[in-house]
Amino acid sequence: MTGFDFSGDPDRVIHEPARLKIMAVLSVVESADFMYLMRETGLTRGNLSVQLTRLKDVGYIRISKEFVGKSPRTTASMTVVGRRAFDKYRAYLTDILRATSS
Amino acid sequence: MNEITKTQQRTRSYWYSDGIAEIVGGVAFVLIGLPLYAAARTGIEMLSTLPLISMILLFPLSARVVRYLKDRITHQRTGYVKYSRPPMSRQRKALIFSILIAISVAIIVISKSNWTLNGMLGKSILLGMGFGIAGTFAVRVWKMQMPRFFIDAATASGLVLALGFVGAGFIEGVGLLLSVLGVISAVIGMIVLCSYIRRHPKVPVETA
């Protein structure tokens, strides 16, 4: 018996691969800009914008805009709620792997 | 390593992806090491105070130079990442540790009234310092998954062993160690930077 609750659902917001990648990047830094996230996730501008908005709407990330010289810079950072959700999601995956390993 | 872990690893080591930190760090090492080496070789004690001035100026300045160059080169090509500062307790511990080491070396030098420290003690401190630097680079190889730092680690340990073998004094040894390490670090940084610029052309201004 592993004690894993198979009826429980993973966090659907993070479960989506593109959003999971965004959360993975933001989990190891304070913030990352739009260009970096686009390069790391391999998403198009439009798609990344949609995924960031989705994560922002549930309160997992914070988006801020600033000017560096004359260029605008949009950065995203993980909120406390987001970090908690990401840790919970990781724990969920670890549990499911442990429960199905043998 | 899965795709998510790889993404996190790449993000953690992004700071070193362009070689800028190595170039600036290398130049700083040379500016500290060269006057020390010159002081030991020529016997002009005054020269040994230059590294202290270099250190005082370089610590705040090098961070600014790295940030400026990254803004001009890296952030426009592959994006901007801000790293979390280590917790205050860890920063304080590191500061106390550095001060204690500096004071210990200063006390040893003063008590022996031999500023070049050409004895067994000087050689032992030099050996410890060299292996300490090598260890720092080795940790970077392991943590950042960047094998190129093995060159710095191997240089530091090889050089410090060679210096011990030829019987170099503390000041001369530290000077040579920092100078050679600095040059190697800066050269590697330049190669990495050239390859980075070639691989990543400038991207037009972002729109989110």
Side-chain angles (χ1 to χ4, degrees):
Chain A
M1 285 296 280
T2 58
F4 181 76
D5 178 16
F6 278 97
S7 62
D9 247 0
D11 187 327
R12 293 280 165 193
V13 179
I14 303 178
H15 200 52
E16 203 279 324
R19 289 196 288 267
L20 178 57
K21 265 194 169 183
I22 296 171
M23 291 296 276
V25 168
L26 296 179
S27 69
V28 293
V29 295
E30 199 176 303
S31 64
D33 76 349
F34 198 82
M35 190 194 287
Y36 184 81
L37 289 170
M38 209 167 83
R39 211 174 54 87
E40 270 305 325
T41 55
L43 298 174
T44 59
R45 278 176 194 278
N47 198 354
L48 178 61
S49 227
V50 170
Q51 305 303 347
L52 286 176
T53 309
R54 178 87 174 93
L55 287 167
K56 187 187 153 206
D57 288 346
V58 291
Y60 288 177
I61 65 164
R62 198 179 300 113
I63 293 175
S64 27
K65 290 178 190 242
E66 55 176 352
F67 271 88
V68 181
K70 285 175 184 173
S71 321
R73 182 190 279 163
T74 308
T75 54
S77 53
M78 200 182 254
T79 61
V80 179
V81 179
R83 189 160 296 279
R84 217 174 287 144
F86 186 68
D87 288 344
K88 204 172 154 194
Y89 179 78
R90 272 177 46 186
Y92 174 87
L93 288 188
T94 312
D95 284 351
I96 204 165
L97 283 173
R98 211 174 289 142
T100 54
S101 62
S102 51
Chain B
M1 209 186 264
N2 62 43
E3 193 51 42
I4 296 302
T5 325
K6 273 186 198 162
T7 305
Q8 288 182 314
Q9 186 57 57
R10 267 198 307 272
T11 306
R12 279 196 194 100
S13 55
Y14 182 58
W15 178 260
Y16 297 105
S17 65
D18 51 16
I20 290 174
E22 280 160 278
I23 297 171
V24 176
V27 171
F29 264 25
V30 172
L31 287 177
I32 295 167
L34 221 51
L36 276 179
Y37 182 69
R41 296 298 287 184
T42 58
I44 306 168
E45 243 177 275
M46 265 290 286
L47 277 172
S48 63
T49 55
L50 277 178
L52 189 69
I53 299 164
S54 303
M55 270 194 265
I56 292 166
L57 290 173
L58 284 172
F59 274 115
L61 200 71
S62 59
R64 274 167 194 244
V65 172
V66 171
R67 227 173 294 141
Y68 174 80
L69 290 174
K70 277 187 178 284
D71 260 340
R72 288 277 166 134
I73 301 165
T74 320
H75 302 158
Q76 294 177 7
R77 288 176 162 82
T78 49
Y80 164 81
V81 159
K82 187 178 180 188
Y83 292 94
S84 319
R85 277 173 158 247
M88 261 323 257
S89 57
R90 226 173 83 187
Q91 286 184 49
R92 217 171 293 141
K93 270 182 205 163
L95 183 73
I96 292 169
F97 183 69
S98 324
I99 291 172
L100 280 178
I101 286 188
I103 291 174
S104 314
V105 173
I107 288 172
I108 291 167
V109 172
I110 293 164
S111 65
K112 291 270 164 187
S113 18
N114 174 9
W115 70 278
T116 50
L117 219 63
N118 283 320
M120 199 57 211
L121 187 67
K123 287 182 184 79
S124 309
I125 300 173
L126 177 64
L127 212 62
M129 194 178 167
F131 284 124
I133 294 174
T136 310
F137 282 118
V139 168
R140 205 176 281 176
V141 173
W142 171 62
K143 271 193 170 175
M144 302 292 166
Q145 302 281 311
M146 290 183 146
R148 71 172 192 258
F149 287 113
F150 257 135
I151 301 171
D152 301 87
T155 307
S157 16
L159 199 64
V160 90
L161 281 175
L163 286 169
F165 188 72
V166 298
F170 178 68
I171 300 290
E172 185 187 5
V174 171
L176 201 63
L177 178 70
L178 293 182
S179 304
V180 173
L181 260 182
V183 170
I184 286 176
S185 193
V187 168
I188 295 173
M190 281 303 288
I191 296 168
V192 172
L193 181 63
C194 289
S195 141
Y196 170 86
I197 289 172
R198 218 176 23 246
R199 278 183 292 123
H200 304 286
K202 223 170 176 177
V203 178
V205 177
E206 66 155 301
T207 47

